[in-house]
Amino acid sequence: MLTGNVYIDETYYNEKALNRTLRNGKELRGISKNKYCIAMDFDRENVYAFLEGMAKPTRERTRDAFKDHIARGSHLIHDREKSHKVLAEELELSEERYDAREIEKLPEKKNPLAPINRQCFMLKDLLNAHPGFNRKDLQGVLNLFCFMQNPPHDKLEKVEMLLRAIVYSQKTLKYRDAWK
């Protein structure tokens, strides 16, 4: 659960070229149904990333993505994406809204959305470093990113958490099942 000053934004990731929708033989432009919408929030300690769907976010998808991850009464810091309004209303959040076109002109140190922009950059860096992954597993990659970014920040503690999760997992994977 994120609390205090919570930054939210969306970032977009392209569908594989083979699966993209074409119109008159050309790819769709802009934020289209050829792009995955990834909702992200960050409170300077924890990051949360969720696959919100394709194309621009809607109020319903934004509500579903964030409602269980932002504490009621927190302070929401975001661009003026229309779908964010539902969070402020339903979770009783105070908010700071910035015009994305205005703040993109600012140097990074003065950009009020720099913390969430940095998280979006690092996520895209991870995704672009491994472009051949199956897009059906995108939420799993987002979960891995959050695991890597969130506390504990001590690498040995994180390895211990991972090993405990693996050892105490009740799932059995047969060798043949792994290669289907």
Side-chain angles (χ1 to χ4, degrees):
M1 182 70 66
L2 282 78
T3 62
N5 289 334
V6 178
Y7 299 83
I8 67 170
D9 203 1
E10 294 80 24
T11 190
Y12 299 91
Y13 194 70
N14 286 331
E15 174 65 281
K16 282 189 175 182
L18 295 173
N19 299 335
R20 292 185 192 155
T21 302
L22 303 177
R23 184 175 295 141
N24 298 328
K26 296 182 182 178
E27 286 187 20
L28 303 175
R29 296 176 48 197
I31 300 173
S32 67
K33 59 184 175 180
N34 285 335
K35 293 187 183 280
Y36 292 94
C37 178
I38 301 168
M40 296 188 70
D41 59 348
F42 179 60
D43 66 359
R44 292 192 182 260
E45 183 65 29
N46 294 291
V47 66
Y48 170 71
F50 182 78
L51 179 59
E52 203 171 329
M54 303 298 280
K56 293 280 285 175
T58 64
R59 288 176 58 94
E60 294 76 26
R61 288 187 351 214
T62 297
R63 179 190 318 106
D64 292 344
F66 292 116
K67 70 180 178 188
D68 296 329
H69 300 280
I70 299 176
R72 188 172 294 279
S74 294
H75 183 68
L76 192 64
I77 303 169
H78 62 98
D79 57 13
R80 291 185 174 168
E81 172 60 49
K82 293 175 187 172
S83 66
H84 296 168
K85 190 78 173 149
V86 69
L87 297 171
E89 294 166 358
E90 291 188 14
L91 297 176
E92 301 168 0
L93 305 174
S94 59
E95 61 181 327
E96 287 178 46
R97 298 171 57 205
Y98 295 97
D99 185 342
R101 288 182 298 253
E102 292 297 319
I103 61 173
E104 73 182 10
K105 299 173 189 173
L106 296 174
E108 191 67 19
K109 291 186 185 225
K110 294 189 178 191
N111 184 337
L113 297 178
I116 190 69
N117 290 345
R118 178 76 179 144
Q119 293 299 317
C120 291
F121 170 79
M122 289 191 299
L123 172 63
K124 281 193 171 178
D125 204 31
L126 174 70
L127 295 173
N128 291 334
H130 308 282
F133 71 91
N134 187 341
R135 298 306 193 269
K136 291 178 185 175
D137 297 329
L138 182 54
Q139 185 60 56
V141 177
L142 300 178
N143 294 344
L144 174 64
F145 173 77
C146 293
F147 180 77
M148 292 173 10
Q149 294 297 107
N150 289 337
H153 296 296
D154 180 313
K155 289 179 174 69
L156 291 177
E157 285 182 58
K158 202 160 280 208
V159 168
E160 181 182 357
M161 284 175 55
L162 183 61
L163 288 175
R164 284 184 189 279
I166 292 168
V167 169
Y168 294 114
S169 171
Q170 296 296 316
K171 184 167 181 156
T172 302
L173 177 65
K174 294 181 182 173
Y175 178 77
R176 293 176 192 257
D177 292 340
W179 303 106
K180 285 184 181 180

